[in-house]
Each structure stands twice: as structure tokens, then as C-alpha cells.
Amino acid sequence: MGKLSRLDQIMDYLKGHNLVTVEELVNVTESSPATVRRDLIKLDEQGVISRSHGGVTLNRFIPTQPTTNEKIYKNLTEKQLIADYAAQMIKAGDSIALDAGTTTLEIAKRITQIPVRVITSDLHIALFLCEFKQIEVTIIGGKVDDSSQSCIGEHGRSLLRQINPDISFISCNSWSFNKGVTTPTEEKALIKASFAEKANKVVLVADSSKYDSYSLFTSISLSKFTDIITDTRLDTESRILLSNQAFKLHIAD
């Protein structure tokens, strides 16, 4: 894995400390105070941090749904490793449900040679996979959410209630031990929950940068998952906590 970007260095440091000063971040990133302040202004505008006279804290509440374009290159290495691991769970003849998201899109890229049936809410995934003759693609339909270019609403939920996939892969923008998978909108929460209802295996695919953050609406409690796949940057304390649950924790490296 290459050197972390300056913003990633700042985020990593914030995750391990309650209150951080500009001077600390200057030392951590080996950057000038002016450069660090510009980065903090950017993170503040995105709602990622809270700034005060005493310093900077990480804001773990995510108020809005980020767009696909905003997410697609973020933590890409981790998403690719998670997708590599997830794809190994899939075998020829399986029916799999792919929730909308950039991590599930990476899974789709890894199954093009496997004859499977795919049910998805994600327009990007559906358009990509329908190019491959050995893959049968069903898109759930309904209203399109413009931030994620995916289907939401009762029409899609009704279809999901009628299917029994072998594996359902669910992605998210925020997850935590106490609050589970959360979303900024009720419609997104309901559609994600529908993906988890009837699958034989329900697998959360979520990189560690999203752990211990939350949005307004709870979609799925972690107890509903059979498996969780995340990356090596999940801290040791969280790994121990999650490893002692009914689901199986997988660390992709």
C-alpha cells in the first residue's frame, strides 16, 4: 500500500484522538500550518470535522448521502481488497443480490467470468454486468435516487421480498457496533433492510473508515449479518469486539 495522502493522514490521526490541534497535525503530516488549515477548511465544509478554539474533532455523524462521484476513488485500495475477498464467496450458479455502492461495484467487476444471477438496485452495476452473457441481471426498478444512481421505494422493496438469493452483499456509508448500518434517508434505510431479509448469507462489505460513524436512520443491526468484511485499518479494540459476535468478521488484506 502506498503512502497515505495528507487528508488520509489527518483523518487517521483524528480517529485516534478526541481533540487535535493544528500544531499536532503539522507534525503528523510534515506540512505547513497554512496547508493544514486549508485541509481543515475543506473537511469542515464537507461536515467531516468540527472546529473550535481548542482544536479539531472528528464529526462521526453523516448528515447527507455522498454522491457516487464523491465516493468512487475514496479508500479505493481497501474497497478492492474487500471486493477480492467477497468474490471468493461466490460460485457458479449462485444468485446474488448487490446493494448499491462503490464497494459492491468492485465486487461486480470481479465476477464477470462466473455464471450467476444478479439482483441489484444500482444502475452502474446493472449496466456493467449486462454486457456479460453468462450473467443474468435483474434491476429492482422504481424511483431513482440521484445521489447514488440507484433504485429506491416500494416497487423495488416488493421485488426484494419475493426473492431468496444465496448471498446478499450490502455496502454502507456508516456502520457501528451499537447503531448498525445507518443511512441519511428513510428510503435508503428501507431498501437496504430489504436486501437483508431473505438471503441465505447476508454480508456487509464496508471499509474501516466508515466504522463508528452513523446517520439518522438505522437500516440493519449488525446481528442480522452472517459475515462482515472490512480492511486491516480497523483498530485492534474494534476487531476484538466484532470478533466476539455471532457473525464472522473477515479482514481483507
Side-chain angles (χ1 to χ4, degrees):
M1 189 182 299
K3 191 178 189 302
L4 292 178
S5 71
R6 192 175 61 250
L7 281 176
D8 283 337
Q9 287 179 305
I10 290 172
M11 290 298 292
D12 268 9
Y13 194 75
L14 284 167
K15 286 173 191 173
H17 301 79
N18 288 329
L19 186 67
V20 173
T21 63
V22 170
E23 290 72 21
E24 286 177 81
L25 294 174
V26 165
N27 292 330
V28 168
T29 61
E30 299 178 350
S31 304
S32 70
T35 298
V36 168
R37 286 192 183 95
R38 281 197 297 272
D39 288 339
L40 293 178
I41 289 168
K42 186 185 300 182
L43 292 171
D44 192 16
E45 288 172 347
Q46 293 172 352
V48 174
I49 62 168
S50 298
R51 301 165 76 200
S52 66
H53 293 301
V56 179
T57 58
L58 196 61
N59 184 1
R60 302 305 289 171
F61 178 73
I62 300 173
T64 59
Q65 174 82 21
T67 66
T68 299
N69 286 338
E70 287 171 340
K71 296 188 299 179
I72 196 159
Y73 297 114
K74 195 172 181 183
N75 301 303
L76 182 58
T77 299
E78 286 78 15
K79 290 173 182 176
Q80 289 172 336
L81 289 169
I82 290 167
D84 287 341
Y85 199 108
Q88 294 173 30
M89 294 182 168
I90 302 166
K91 63 183 187 301
D94 277 349
S95 57
I96 64 169
L98 292 176
D99 179 25
T102 50
T103 306
T104 44
L105 178 58
E106 290 298 325
I107 295 173
K109 292 175 182 177
R110 284 152 176 77
I111 62 172
T112 57
Q113 303 304 313
I114 308 172
V116 290
R117 288 182 291 175
V118 174
I119 303 95
T120 188
S121 59
D122 192 304
L123 302 185
H124 301 279
I125 291 173
L127 286 169
F128 173 74
L129 288 178
C130 70
E131 297 287 332
F132 301 93
K133 286 185 167 53
Q134 68 271 33
I135 298 179
E136 177 189 302
V137 181
T138 299
I139 192 158
I140 64 171
K143 179 183 172 185
V144 174
D145 172 62
D146 58 3
S147 65
S148 61
Q149 293 85 52
S150 65
C151 302
I152 54 176
E154 180 55 34
H155 180 90
R157 292 179 60 215
S158 175
L159 186 145
L160 289 170
R161 284 193 289 267
Q162 297 174 52
I163 62 169
N164 301 283
D166 295 300
I167 313 175
S168 187
F169 292 100
I170 294 167
S171 64
C172 67
N173 296 312
S174 54
W175 62 295
S176 70
F177 179 72
N178 290 323
K179 293 182 172 64
V181 169
T182 56
T183 72
T185 69
E186 185 178 15
E187 284 185 313
K188 292 290 286 185
L190 290 171
I191 205 79
K192 281 186 185 293
S194 296
F195 270 98
E197 279 180 17
K198 297 177 77 176
N200 293 335
K201 264 190 174 183
V202 183
V203 182
L204 177 63
V205 286
D207 67 75
S208 60
S209 72
K210 299 166 183 172
Y211 183 69
D212 220 16
S213 61
Y214 67 99
S215 290
L216 186 59
F217 294 92
T218 292
S219 176
I220 311 166
S221 70
L222 293 193
S223 63
K224 297 284 187 186
F225 292 96
T226 58
D227 301 81
I228 293 177
I229 308 174
T230 190
D231 59 78
T232 57
R233 292 169 72 182
L234 185 70
D235 66 272
T236 302
E237 186 179 337
S238 298
R239 282 197 207 190
I240 293 169
L241 174 64
L242 294 172
S243 294
N244 289 321
Q245 308 306 316
F247 54 76
K248 187 168 183 182
L249 179 69
H250 308 268
I251 304 294
D253 56 18

